[in-house]
């Protein structure tokens, strides 16, 4: 599985862009928490924050790993 995340290096820039284009800042929704960098930079500026991971294959992989699955080596 390819990892599509990795917003840590650009998390601050993402937050600055969001702040520049929002005024009310009542609710911030972060559907792909990952390492939490976007959450880290954005959460102080919003009244309400909703976070989670909605990437089903990633969730399934973590569930299987928690149940003892180990990837095969090639």
């Amino acid at each position: 599985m390819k990892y599509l995340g990795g917003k840590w290096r650009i998390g601050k820039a993402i937050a600055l862009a969001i702040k520049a284009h929002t005024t009310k800042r009542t609710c911030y929704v972060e559907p792909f928490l990952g390492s939490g960098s976007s959450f880290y930079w954005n959460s102080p500026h919003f009244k309400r924050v909703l976070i989670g991971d909605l990437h089903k294959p990633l969730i399934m992989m973590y569930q299987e790993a928690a149940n003892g699955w180990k990837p095969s080596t090639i």
Side-chain angles (χ1 to χ4, degrees):
M1 177 188 309
K2 274 190 163 183
Y3 176 64
L4 302 175
K7 296 176 282 194
W8 185 253
R9 287 175 273 156
I10 62 171
K12 189 174 184 179
I14 291 170
L16 290 172
I18 290 172
K19 283 173 50 181
H21 291 89
T22 58
T23 54
K24 294 183 182 178
R25 298 190 191 120
T26 55
C27 185
Y28 172 73
V29 178
E30 177 58 63
F32 305 108
L33 181 61
S35 67
S37 61
S38 289
F39 165 75
Y40 173 83
W41 290 106
N42 281 298
S43 61
H45 307 288
F46 288 83
K47 292 178 184 173
R48 183 175 180 208
V49 178
L50 303 172
I51 58 174
D53 269 315
L54 300 176
H55 190 263
K56 192 159 185 109
L58 181 63
I59 293 168
M60 290 171 57
M61 182 195 72
Y62 281 127
Q63 288 172 337
E64 290 300 317
N67 290 329
W69 172 81
K70 291 183 175 54
S72 62
T73 57
I74 297 175

